[in-house]
Amino acid sequence: MTTTAQAFSDFLLKISPTDTQRTEIRDKRAKTEGYLQTGFPQSGDLPLKRVVLIGSADRGTLIRPIDDIDVLAEFINKDGIFERYRYKSGDFLQRIRRVLDAKTSIAHIGARGQAVRLFYTSGAYVDIAPVFHWNSGGYALPSGDGGWITTDPEAQAKWLADRRASVGSELTNRIKLLKRWNRVHSCRLQSYHLEVMVASFFSQAGSNHRKGLALFFEGAGSWIDVSDPAGYSGVLSDYLTYEARQAIKSRLAEAGDRAQRAIAFEESGDHAEAKRLWAIELGSEFPTS
């Protein structure tokens, strides 16, 4: 029978992307760039500048199952074309969708809200966040209501990289574990919000994730109202209602109690019971044998 620590190591491998999935991410990003380069050449009125991977795949915090891959597509404001779409960002999205529909063999391409989505028959779909660079910093992203919002996923990724350098490389695994915990228990917290909570909470992150998770469950209720480290999206918890906040705090308290009991069983040598308790929090894929 494996120890509880070994079960955590095995579980982290199980929830992290495989080599095949990492190759798929690279390939689909490259294919998306090729599609956009063909559809929006430098000679056109809306030239593509670059396509980069963003989101959890870029930050190293992606967990399985992998549903989507996020990329940022930056366009050049050639001859002030942004003004054509300043109050009609939905038209901008639809233009990208129509061009990709004509230039690719992908059967289903959608555009709504803030992104253009490429649906593949297998594997992850690709969400394209089409943006213009603001002269004042950050990027203009369609807001979903015809206007624009400011975002900066590259600044967000840099902030997390800086936190990882300060706190310790195991911060990435701590985030993955807590993202799986969140997914198992109703996804009450949005993914990026949870990442910032975890990265802000810890002043150091060692390899003992059992005690790390217990600490987070105990204290995270006071860290719900974290702000976007890029400085554009405000308080990341704004989507939560009072009832949702109370449900999150209740879930954290329950998880904290179970984590403490699991640690006590581990320290007494009863790894079977410790792993059984952790599986309740982390899901049925957590090794219990």
Side-chain angles (χ1 to χ4, degrees), residues 243-263:
E243 290 75 15
R245 288 169 180 270
Q246 296 308 113
I248 289 166
K249 289 181 179 180
S250 175
R251 180 81 274 283
L252 285 166
E254 182 182 347
D257 177 70
R258 187 168 285 117
Q260 291 294 352
R261 288 192 287 125
I263 289 169

Side-chain angles (χ1 to χ4, degrees), residues 10 96 104 119 127 137 178 186 197 211 226 241 254 264 281 287:
D10 292 344
I96 295 169
T104 73
F119 292 90
D127 273 342
L178 285 162
S186 302
M197 283 178 63
K211 290 187 175 180
V226 290
T241 64
E254 182 182 347
E281 291 303 324

Side-chain angles (χ1 to χ4, degrees), residues 8-63:
F8 265 78
S9 295
D10 292 344
F11 185 61
L12 277 165
L13 288 175
K14 188 176 292 188
I15 65 175
S16 296
T18 64
D19 289 343
T20 298
Q21 289 171 325
R22 284 190 285 267
T23 298
E24 177 194 2
I25 290 167
R26 290 194 298 269
D27 288 350
K28 284 185 174 176
R29 188 219 65 82
K31 287 180 180 177
T32 302
E33 182 175 22
Y35 298 148
L36 289 166
Q37 285 176 337
T38 300
F40 300 94
Q42 299 301 298
S43 58
D45 66 336
L46 183 60
L48 177 74
K49 181 176 182 180
R50 62 187 184 126
V51 174
V52 295
L53 188 68
I54 59 172
S56 56
D58 174 52
R59 295 190 297 269
T61 56
L62 191 65
I63 62 170

Side-chain angles (χ1 to χ4, degrees), residues 126-201:
V126 175
D127 273 342
I128 303 170
V131 301
F132 291 96
H133 188 263
W134 289 122
N135 291 333
S136 56
Y139 299 92
L141 175 72
S143 63
D145 60 3
W148 301 80
I149 60 173
T150 300
T151 187
D152 195 337
E154 292 173 315
Q156 293 170 342
K158 183 181 184 305
W159 177 83
L160 184 59
D162 290 344
R163 288 298 298 160
R164 187 182 295 115
S166 174
V167 173
S169 60
E170 285 297 325
L171 178 63
T172 299
N173 284 332
R174 189 74 47 83
I175 290 171
K176 288 181 179 179
L177 289 166
L178 285 162
K179 287 177 73 171
R180 172 49 62 92
W181 166 80
N182 183 54
R183 186 176 289 182
V184 168
H185 297 280
S186 302
C187 289
R188 289 185 172 94
L189 293 161
Q190 291 181 358
S191 180
Y192 183 63
H193 176 203
L194 178 59
E195 286 191 30
V196 176
M197 283 178 63
V198 178
S200 301
F201 178 85

